[in-house]
Amino acid sequence: MLQTARTPGLNLHTYSEVEEVTGFVGNFKVKIRKKARYVNNECNGCGACWEVCPAYGYNEFNEGLNPRRAIYASFAQAVPMLAQIDMTQCIKCGLCIKACEVEAIDFDQEDEILEIEVGSIVVATGWDEYEPETGYLGYNVYPNVITQLKLERILAPNGPTVGHLKRPSDGKEPKNVLFIQCVGSRDLTRKTYCSAGVCCMISVKNTKLIKQHAPHIDVTVAYMDIRAAGKDYEEYFTASRKEGIKYIRTNVSRLQEDPETHNLKVVIQNTVGTTKLKEFEYDLVVLSCAMMPAKGIEKISSILKLEKSHDGFFKEFHSRLNPIDTKIPGIVLAGVSQGPKAISDSIVQGRAAASSLARLMMKDKYRILLIRATVDNEKCAKCGLCQLNCPYDAIKVEPDGAEVNEILCRGCGACLANCPSEAITLRYYREPQYEKQIDAILENI
Amino acid sequence: MAGTIRAQYPATIRPIRINCTGRVTPSLMMRAIGKGADGVIVAG
């Protein structure tokens, strides 16, 4: 990110949202809302303001494990390193204004709307962790049931516990930890897909981290299948087993808390070895949850008019042969916005997306097929049904009749099938051609 | 589609390729039935 910010000609808009996208390949117009930080660009991220701030808010970066101040930097390595104020928590005491040496704080700042012109768009909206419903495997009910991302923050050296594994109920180091795999994924009542082995590999990594940090902690993983497909992944999994981490192939039958100790009693059945259900007691349970499309994907998909697959991720042009392009020329997908994948695959797709756009943008011309809808303006009644039915937003009703944007049009013909005045024809696929085909096929009947 | 998934279908079915199912107009379907077809399947 730092490199991005330093590259000349590359503009980075953080804490911003895309509001509107119009136009077509080569000529997109994008409206961006730069949200007010209430801190101007003079800020150098020194931190004097948040040291004096008396108001606290939910720490999004640390998954709410510890509070943050109302004026804060989103995380320690944020680029650009600017403070921002959470106005829902700020009490406007003005202590930060006094503490700031560069006079960067401005309570009256307003959202800024930027309008930029771009030739092409890469959608890389990433993912969010699946949030289990309250009560499912004790989530949100028992304090010592946490999700994988929370554990990530607990194990992080810059996290709330400075890298020491502590459980939420009493802040003590757990004696044993259970990881539960496939929470919310590979589940017919929740998400049916597998998150491409990412949750498996995060668990393997975190079990190794726990063992490295505190070898006396007993670590168990309850899994359906360990999906360690990829270069060196299986070896990594085997190394984790060699370190003494127990892997039990099972579904969790019951999970209940001991109200006094807040330990968790888990009933599981090792389906590879014995066939009997057994109760085990764990100090900490980690739910390895599915990958979900990022929050806000609905908004982006309606702004860009992109389709989504049944799993909620953006739909690619072809799942096997072209997983990068979308149905709209000039808009491509990268990373988990298209489907669950690990870091290396996301990098591959990101680079592929960038180079496919570079190839498109380096030419001055854009070739289109001639199979496009054409309008006979004398017949057009300007009813607007074509505009309503166009999946690509390519036809507009103008005062002189409907007008087709030949770049946006994909030649599907949905407009002409709906045109009551038969004013639209599709080049090379005209009505009489089909009529002749039908007649010829049914000639001998 | 039927070909790529190796599905078997009766030899009496006559496919006509159309750009998009949205392109199919009622008049085309009625024409086929008028000319003696037993039915029209719109698939895609």
Short mmCIF file of all heavy atoms in Angstrom, two decimals, chain A residues 376-398:
data_model
loop_
_atom_site.label_atom_id
_atom_site.label_comp_id
_atom_site.label_asym_id
_atom_site.label_seq_id
_atom_site.Cartn_x
_atom_site.Cartn_y
_atom_site.Cartn_z
N ASP A 376 -35.49 1.61 -35.78
CA ASP A 376 -36.14 2.37 -36.85
C ASP A 376 -36.95 3.48 -36.15
O ASP A 376 -38.01 3.22 -35.56
CB ASP A 376 -37.06 1.44 -37.65
CG ASP A 376 -37.73 2.18 -38.79
OD1 ASP A 376 -37.62 3.44 -38.83
OD2 ASP A 376 -38.36 1.53 -39.63
N ASN A 377 -36.39 4.70 -36.18
CA ASN A 377 -37.01 5.77 -35.40
C ASN A 377 -38.41 6.15 -35.89
O ASN A 377 -39.20 6.72 -35.14
CB ASN A 377 -36.11 7.01 -35.40
CG ASN A 377 -35.01 6.85 -34.38
OD1 ASN A 377 -35.09 5.98 -33.52
ND2 ASN A 377 -33.97 7.68 -34.47
N GLU A 378 -38.72 5.80 -37.13
CA GLU A 378 -40.06 6.13 -37.62
C GLU A 378 -41.12 5.26 -36.97
O GLU A 378 -42.25 5.66 -36.78
CB GLU A 378 -40.10 5.98 -39.15
CG GLU A 378 -39.46 7.18 -39.82
CD GLU A 378 -39.61 7.16 -41.31
OE1 GLU A 378 -40.38 6.33 -41.83
OE2 GLU A 378 -38.94 7.97 -41.94
N LYS A 379 -40.70 4.01 -36.62
CA LYS A 379 -41.67 3.10 -35.99
C LYS A 379 -41.71 3.28 -34.47
O LYS A 379 -42.69 2.93 -33.82
CB LYS A 379 -41.29 1.66 -36.30
CG LYS A 379 -41.65 1.21 -37.70
CD LYS A 379 -41.41 -0.29 -37.77
CE LYS A 379 -41.46 -0.78 -39.21
NZ LYS A 379 -40.87 -2.12 -39.30
N CYS A 380 -40.62 3.80 -33.90
CA CYS A 380 -40.49 3.86 -32.43
C CYS A 380 -41.56 4.75 -31.80
O CYS A 380 -41.76 5.88 -32.23
CB CYS A 380 -39.10 4.37 -32.06
SG CYS A 380 -38.85 4.54 -30.29
N ALA A 381 -42.24 4.18 -30.80
CA ALA A 381 -43.28 4.95 -30.11
C ALA A 381 -42.76 5.54 -28.80
O ALA A 381 -43.54 6.10 -28.02
CB ALA A 381 -44.47 4.05 -29.85
N LYS A 382 -41.50 5.39 -28.53
CA LYS A 382 -40.84 5.92 -27.33
C LYS A 382 -41.51 5.43 -26.04
O LYS A 382 -41.68 6.18 -25.08
CB LYS A 382 -40.81 7.46 -27.35
CG LYS A 382 -40.01 8.01 -28.51
CD LYS A 382 -40.32 9.48 -28.72
CE LYS A 382 -40.11 9.86 -30.17
NZ LYS A 382 -41.16 10.68 -30.73
N CYS A 383 -41.94 4.18 -26.06
CA CYS A 383 -42.65 3.68 -24.87
C CYS A 383 -41.69 3.38 -23.73
O CYS A 383 -42.08 3.39 -22.57
CB CYS A 383 -43.45 2.43 -25.23
SG CYS A 383 -42.41 1.03 -25.68
N GLY A 384 -40.42 3.10 -24.04
CA GLY A 384 -39.43 2.88 -22.97
C GLY A 384 -39.31 1.45 -22.51
O GLY A 384 -38.56 1.16 -21.58
N LEU A 385 -40.07 0.51 -23.14
CA LEU A 385 -39.97 -0.90 -22.71
C LEU A 385 -38.58 -1.47 -22.96
O LEU A 385 -38.09 -2.29 -22.20
CB LEU A 385 -41.01 -1.74 -23.46
CG LEU A 385 -42.39 -1.83 -22.83
CD1 LEU A 385 -43.33 -2.64 -23.71
CD2 LEU A 385 -42.31 -2.47 -21.45
N CYS A 386 -37.94 -1.00 -24.05
CA CYS A 386 -36.60 -1.51 -24.37
C CYS A 386 -35.61 -1.10 -23.30
O CYS A 386 -34.79 -1.89 -22.83
CB CYS A 386 -36.16 -1.00 -25.74
SG CYS A 386 -36.39 0.76 -25.98
N GLN A 387 -35.70 0.15 -22.88
CA GLN A 387 -34.80 0.67 -21.85
C GLN A 387 -34.96 -0.12 -20.55
O GLN A 387 -33.99 -0.42 -19.87
CB GLN A 387 -35.12 2.15 -21.62
CG GLN A 387 -34.09 2.86 -20.79
CD GLN A 387 -34.40 4.34 -20.66
OE1 GLN A 387 -35.03 4.94 -21.54
NE2 GLN A 387 -33.99 4.93 -19.58
N LEU A 388 -36.22 -0.47 -20.26
CA LEU A 388 -36.53 -1.19 -19.04
C LEU A 388 -35.97 -2.62 -19.07
O LEU A 388 -35.55 -3.16 -18.06
CB LEU A 388 -38.06 -1.24 -18.91
CG LEU A 388 -38.67 -1.27 -17.54
CD1 LEU A 388 -38.39 0.03 -16.82
CD2 LEU A 388 -40.17 -1.48 -17.65
N ASN A 389 -35.97 -3.20 -20.27
CA ASN A 389 -35.58 -4.62 -20.38
C ASN A 389 -34.12 -4.83 -20.73
O ASN A 389 -33.67 -5.97 -20.76
CB ASN A 389 -36.46 -5.31 -21.41
CG ASN A 389 -37.84 -5.59 -20.85
OD1 ASN A 389 -37.98 -6.36 -19.91
ND2 ASN A 389 -38.84 -4.93 -21.38
N CYS A 390 -33.39 -3.77 -21.02
CA CYS A 390 -31.99 -3.95 -21.42
C CYS A 390 -31.13 -4.32 -20.22
O CYS A 390 -31.04 -3.56 -19.26
CB CYS A 390 -31.43 -2.69 -22.07
SG CYS A 390 -29.72 -2.92 -22.56
N PRO A 391 -30.50 -5.51 -20.22
CA PRO A 391 -29.68 -5.88 -19.07
C PRO A 391 -28.36 -5.12 -19.02
O PRO A 391 -27.65 -5.16 -18.02
CB PRO A 391 -29.43 -7.37 -19.26
CG PRO A 391 -29.78 -7.69 -20.66
CD PRO A 391 -30.56 -6.57 -21.25
N TYR A 392 -28.00 -4.43 -20.09
CA TYR A 392 -26.69 -3.77 -20.16
C TYR A 392 -26.79 -2.25 -20.12
O TYR A 392 -25.80 -1.56 -20.30
CB TYR A 392 -25.95 -4.21 -21.44
CG TYR A 392 -25.83 -5.71 -21.53
CD1 TYR A 392 -26.68 -6.44 -22.35
CD2 TYR A 392 -24.89 -6.38 -20.77
CE1 TYR A 392 -26.59 -7.82 -22.41
CE2 TYR A 392 -24.81 -7.76 -20.83
CZ TYR A 392 -25.65 -8.47 -21.65
OH TYR A 392 -25.57 -9.82 -21.69
N ASP A 393 -28.01 -1.75 -19.97
CA ASP A 393 -28.20 -0.30 -19.89
C ASP A 393 -27.71 0.38 -21.19
O ASP A 393 -27.16 1.46 -21.17
CB ASP A 393 -27.40 0.26 -18.70
CG ASP A 393 -28.22 1.30 -17.96
OD1 ASP A 393 -29.42 1.41 -18.25
OD2 ASP A 393 -27.65 2.01 -17.11
N ALA A 394 -27.93 -0.29 -22.33
CA ALA A 394 -27.34 0.19 -23.58
C ALA A 394 -28.33 0.96 -24.44
O ALA A 394 -27.95 1.57 -25.42
CB ALA A 394 -26.82 -1.01 -24.38
N ILE A 395 -29.61 0.93 -24.10
CA ILE A 395 -30.59 1.62 -24.93
C ILE A 395 -31.31 2.69 -24.10
O ILE A 395 -31.67 2.45 -22.95
CB ILE A 395 -31.56 0.60 -25.60
CG1 ILE A 395 -32.38 1.24 -26.71
CG2 ILE A 395 -32.43 -0.11 -24.59
CD1 ILE A 395 -32.97 0.26 -27.69
N LYS A 396 -31.44 3.87 -24.69
CA LYS A 396 -32.06 5.00 -23.97
C LYS A 396 -33.12 5.61 -24.88
O LYS A 396 -32.91 5.73 -26.09
CB LYS A 396 -31.01 6.08 -23.66
CG LYS A 396 -30.03 5.70 -22.58
CD LYS A 396 -30.41 6.35 -21.27
CE LYS A 396 -29.93 5.65 -20.03
NZ LYS A 396 -28.97 4.63 -20.05
N VAL A 397 -34.22 6.02 -24.29
CA VAL A 397 -35.24 6.68 -25.09
C VAL A 397 -34.94 8.17 -25.13
O VAL A 397 -34.89 8.84 -24.10
CB VAL A 397 -36.65 6.42 -24.51
CG1 VAL A 397 -37.70 7.12 -25.35
CG2 VAL A 397 -36.92 4.93 -24.50
N GLU A 398 -34.66 8.65 -26.32
CA GLU A 398 -34.37 10.08 -26.53
C GLU A 398 -35.57 10.71 -27.20
O GLU A 398 -36.47 10.00 -27.66
CB GLU A 398 -33.12 10.20 -27.45
CG GLU A 398 -31.88 9.50 -26.95
CD GLU A 398 -31.21 10.19 -25.77
OE1 GLU A 398 -31.54 11.36 -25.52
OE2 GLU A 398 -30.39 9.55 -25.09
#
